[in-house]
Amino acid sequence: MAAKKEIEIKLRGKRFQISPAEAQKFLRTSGYGKDGHTKGKAPKYFVVVGGTKMPIKQALKRIMDKKGLGLTILDITTKDAVGIFRRLHFPIVVEGGAKGSKSSIMKYIGMFDFEGSSVEDKRKLYDHP
């Protein structure tokens, strides 16, 4: 952390101040592990705190909760989180969030090759002469 100075942030009409040291303290005791995000879309942006990679929006949410802002994760964008953590001089890592994405599904195209036709199978099952 090069900068030790506290910064002032205004987020969705709520103002708060935070220093890099305070943010680091909140995030080190956050309980987020390396695989802390398990539901929904896989995160693409991470903030690195003490050698641990955390999903960036969840990390900002933890700070907002500690500051008592009353905002939800839906109140912030990834752009908000990236901007705040850059101002705090935290390293940001961008990875491909591919969990359940089209690219991860598309690799199975052509893998399954079944004989027959679904139209013919339907006729055999439901159309009686």
Side-chain angles (χ1 to χ4, degrees):
M1 299 291 131
K4 301 288 183 198
K5 189 175 179 183
E6 206 169 62
I7 64 169
E8 185 164 331
I9 299 167
K10 182 177 178 185
L11 191 60
R12 305 298 171 263
K14 309 266 184 167
R15 289 185 184 274
F16 66 100
Q17 293 181 344
I18 190 160
S19 68
E22 186 180 23
Q24 191 167 38
K25 182 179 96 174
F26 290 160
L27 296 175
R28 282 188 182 226
T29 61
S30 69
Y32 291 121
K34 292 182 182 182
D35 299 321
H37 186 76
T38 57
K39 293 183 180 179
K41 187 177 175 185
K44 187 173 181 180
Y45 293 85
F46 297 87
V47 62
V48 179
V49 180
T52 302
K53 205 171 54 168
M54 291 180 222
I56 200 160
K57 282 180 70 174
Q58 285 80 359
L60 182 56
K61 172 72 167 99
R62 177 68 178 183
I63 290 171
M64 292 185 321
D65 290 347
K66 289 286 192 179
K67 289 288 190 175
L69 297 178
L71 295 173
T72 69
I73 194 118
L74 298 176
D75 292 323
I76 60 170
T77 64
T78 301
K79 182 180 177 182
D80 295 330
V82 168
I84 289 168
F85 283 112
R86 280 195 176 141
R87 287 179 61 199
L88 290 168
H89 303 285
F90 280 89
I92 296 168
V93 177
V94 181
E95 294 181 353
K99 178 180 170 184
S101 70
K102 184 176 178 180
S103 62
S104 66
I105 294 169
M106 296 301 281
K107 66 184 175 187
Y108 295 108
I109 289 179
M111 185 174 197
F112 302 108
D113 185 19
F114 298 106
E115 290 185 24
S117 161
S118 60
V119 175
E120 291 298 321
D121 291 344
K122 181 183 173 203
R123 283 190 191 134
K124 290 177 186 173
L125 287 172
Y126 299 107
D127 296 339
H128 297 281

